[in-house]
Amino acid sequence: MFACLECICDSFSKESVQKYLKSGFSCLSLEEIYLLESYIITHNIKGKSTWEKTWTVNPEGYGVAFTDKLKRTLEKINELRERVFEPLCQMSESMKRQNVRERCTALYEFLSRREILDTINSRCEKLRQKGDYASADQNITVWNILMNCLDQMVIIMGERKVSTQKFCEILKLLCSNYSSAIIPSAIDQVNIGEAGHMRCNNVKHTFILGL
C-alpha cells in the first residue's frame, strides 16, 4: 500500500515502481512482473510522463534485430504498463487538492478496486492449509491496522488539507505505532537473486557471483 503511495509521491520513479511490483498486490503474475521489470531496468524507465506514453523501444535493447516476436513481446509489455499505470494514475488524480477525509476515501477505493482484501484472504487460506496460522493471522492483522489508521485520520484531521507526501508520512507514523506481533522465522536469512531485481534494505554483507 505504501509502495503505491510512493509511486505517486515520487512521480513513478524506477525504485518506487519496482517496490510496488514486488509488493504482491500489483495483480500481475510473477512472469509478467519479471517481463515488465526487465524492460524498466533495460531502458531506465522513470517518470510519470514516460509511463503515460506507449513504449516503442526494442525490449532487448539497441543493436538487436527488432523481430516480429520481439514486437509481440513489446505489445505485451505495453499491456502490462497500462494495467499497472492506469489504476495508480486514477488514484493520483482522485487525491489531488483534497483533504484528509477525501484522501483516505480515495486510498480505500483504490484498495477495493484492486480487491486487495480478497487477495489477502486468499493468501491467508493458502497459509492455513500449509499450517502456517501465525503468518495468516499476521496478514489479517496488517489489514486491520491499516483500516484502523485510516479511521483515526478521518476522525482526528478529516477536514485538514495536506499534500500527498505529508499524508503518506502521517499514515506511516500511525501504522508504526502498531505491531503485528509475530516471531521471526529465523534470526538471519539469505536472499538470492539477480542483482538488478533484488530489493534489499539494511544489508550487512553482499556476495556477487558470476562476474
Side-chain angles (χ1 to χ4, degrees), residues 16-116:
S16 64
V17 172
Q18 285 182 273
K19 187 183 295 185
Y20 174 66
L21 292 176
K22 289 184 171 73
S23 69
F25 299 106
S26 63
C27 298
L28 300 185
S29 66
L30 291 176
E31 182 180 352
E32 290 172 335
I33 291 172
Y34 185 85
L35 180 62
L36 182 60
E37 191 179 40
S38 293
Y39 192 92
I40 292 171
I41 294 171
T42 299
H43 298 292
N44 196 29
I45 301 295
K46 57 184 177 181
K48 184 179 179 182
S49 60
T50 305
W51 277 84
E52 289 174 330
K53 301 173 184 176
T54 300
W55 297 338
T56 58
V57 182
N58 189 336
E60 294 296 326
Y62 299 102
V64 178
F66 205 171
T67 62
D68 290 339
K69 181 179 180 181
L70 286 174
K71 289 178 181 178
R72 289 193 296 271
T73 299
L74 182 59
E75 289 178 3
K76 175 65 176 178
I77 291 172
N78 272 299
E79 176 192 326
L80 299 177
R81 173 187 61 82
E82 291 176 359
R83 285 169 56 189
V84 169
F85 176 71
E86 289 180 0
L88 291 173
C89 183
Q90 185 178 355
M91 185 179 74
S92 175
E93 291 299 318
S94 67
M95 292 184 74
K96 282 184 177 178
R97 299 184 300 277
Q98 297 190 359
N99 60 33
V100 170
R101 181 189 304 277
E102 292 166 324
R103 289 182 183 276
C104 287
T105 300
L107 178 56
Y108 179 78
E109 289 176 347
F110 169 80
L111 297 174
S112 297
R113 285 193 300 269
R114 305 301 285 172
E115 299 180 339
I116 299 302

Side-chain angles (χ1 to χ4, degrees), residues 5 69 97 101 120 144 152 194:
L5 287 174
K69 181 179 180 181
R97 299 184 300 277
R101 181 189 304 277
I120 292 174
N144 291 336
Q152 287 184 51
E194 186 176 336

